[in-house]
Amino acid sequence: LREKRLKNIMGAALQNREFQVYLQPKYRTESETIGGAEALVRWHSSVMGDLMPGTFIDVFEHNGFILRFDYYMLEKICQLQRQRLDDGQKIVPISVNQSRLHIKEENYLDKMQRIADRYKLPAGCVELELTETAFGDFEQSEQRGHAVHVIKELKKMGYSISMDDFGSGYSSLALLQTLPMDIMKIDRSMLVSAEESPRAKSILRNIVDLGQRLGMEVICEGIETPEQEKFLLELGCRYGQGYLYARPMPMQNFADFIENQGKTPV
């Protein structure tokens, strides 16, 4: 019943701009300066009140509305970056999530090219975050070849590609071997495990080293304490994201935050 209710109101909500973009900064852990941000969302529904992503994103994935929603989020970030550049303001790379449904979407690359042409942003201004589930059955050569083609074409358009939630699934190493990713985002679960287990710590240390040797920017999610930050620095991880640095904030507040380079949670 809840899913049906969401389905009935989601189209009007998108048209009425009830989905508000929030940005959570990513930090360079060594210098404690902002190195980027991730675009997140809050739904201020006129019907159901304020909703967090966990209550509706899976529903959108299930009914396919996530495709329209992802383009909405991407356009919002491209508009922000273009406006800041035109105003002579500082920008940092901002990542947006891309559903696994896009990989098989008809004319996906054409749509992404049109967005790139519309905003003409410098390469690397926008990152696309993909999880390993986006690539389906990666063991099939046809699927693998298609994934490589999509990633390479997106990179030609100027998008950076991030492997999200690294370590949370089973195909991560196979994807690293084949796909020319730019950023590796280590799942928080690996950080928590490494704090408790010497074996897990050794694995995490080598994953960080592997990503860097492949020329990737390695970032760890979910940093909440100074001890975790220190721990990651010891492992050589130079980028972090989490409540220690800043909570997600409305897009309009991000401009002030980025100028202040603050570290106090907002």
Side-chain angles (χ1 to χ4, degrees):
L1 289 175
R2 180 181 177 82
E3 183 172 344
K4 183 177 180 181
R5 191 179 183 194
L6 289 171
K7 184 177 180 180
N8 288 338
I9 65 174
M10 61 190 187
L14 190 66
Q15 186 174 356
N16 295 331
R17 303 186 180 184
E18 293 181 359
F19 298 101
Q20 300 298 310
V21 178
Y22 276 55
L23 294 171
Q24 184 175 26
K26 303 173 185 177
Y27 268 70
R28 302 179 186 93
T29 51
E30 292 175 316
S31 60
E32 297 185 353
T33 56
I34 299 174
E38 178 181 4
L40 304 169
V41 67
R42 302 290 182 266
W43 184 357
H44 301 304
S45 172
S46 59
V47 178
M48 301 179 66
D50 290 343
L51 302 173
M52 296 293 284
T55 64
F56 58 87
I57 291 296
D58 286 347
V59 175
F60 291 178
E61 285 274 357
H62 180 68
N63 62 33
F65 186 72
I66 195 70
L67 297 176
R68 286 180 59 192
F69 176 77
D70 280 353
Y71 288 121
Y72 170 86
M73 293 290 290
L74 177 59
E75 290 266 5
K76 286 288 187 182
I77 295 306
C78 288
Q79 290 168 9
L80 173 67
Q81 298 288 63
R82 184 69 265 167
Q83 186 63 56
R84 289 186 64 83
L85 282 172
D86 291 346
D87 292 343
Q89 296 175 319
K90 175 183 178 180
I91 67 168
V92 295
I94 300 178
S95 62
V96 295
N97 290 291
Q98 292 282 279
S99 166
R100 69 183 189 277
L101 299 182
H102 288 291
I103 301 300
K104 295 183 179 180
E105 179 190 5
E106 186 176 357
N107 298 324
Y108 172 56
L109 291 176
D110 290 339
K111 293 176 182 178
M112 295 299 284
Q113 183 66 67
R114 285 198 292 271
I115 292 173
D117 292 342
R118 186 178 305 132
Y119 295 100
K120 294 180 172 58
L121 295 170
C125 284
V126 176
E127 300 171 2
L128 305 177
E129 291 196 12
L130 297 159
T131 62
E132 65 184 55
T133 58
F135 303 102
D137 185 1
F138 203 68
E139 297 303 315
Q140 296 183 9
S141 59
E142 181 178 350
Q143 178 69 20
R144 186 165 58 247
H146 177 66
V148 172
H149 171 70
V150 169
I151 296 301
K152 287 183 176 180
E153 291 301 308
L154 290 171
K155 285 167 65 73
K156 288 179 184 178
M157 298 175 199
Y159 300 107
S160 296
I161 311 298
S162 173
M163 182 186 293
D164 198 12
D165 299 333
F166 185 90
S168 62
Y170 300 99
S171 305
S172 299
L173 288 177
L175 294 174
L176 272 186
Q177 179 180 334
T178 308
L179 300 179
M181 300 284 196
D182 302 295
I183 302 110
M184 175 196 293
K185 288 192 74 177
I186 298 174
D187 191 72
R188 171 175 164 76
S189 62
M190 296 200 70
L191 170 62
V192 173
S193 296
E195 288 182 292
E196 302 170 352
S197 163
R199 188 180 184 91
K201 180 178 180 180
S202 180
I203 291 172
L204 180 56
R205 183 191 301 276
N206 281 280
I207 285 174
V208 171
D209 182 64
L210 174 63
Q212 292 173 347
R213 286 177 180 270
L214 291 173
M216 302 175 74
E217 177 185 299
V218 181
I219 180 170
C220 187
E221 302 176 288
I223 303 175
E224 297 180 354
T225 67
E227 291 75 21
Q228 288 176 332
E229 179 186 53
K230 181 179 178 182
F231 179 68
L232 286 168
L233 282 169
E234 291 173 356
L235 298 183
C237 185
R238 302 187 182 96
Y239 291 87
Q241 180 182 2
Y243 286 179
L244 174 66
Y245 306 112
R247 293 176 180 269
M249 65 192 71
M251 191 163 61
Q252 58 268 28
N253 295 357
F254 184 70
D256 292 335
F257 190 84
I258 194 175
E259 295 301 328
N260 295 332
Q261 290 282 313
K263 191 178 176 180
T264 303
V266 174

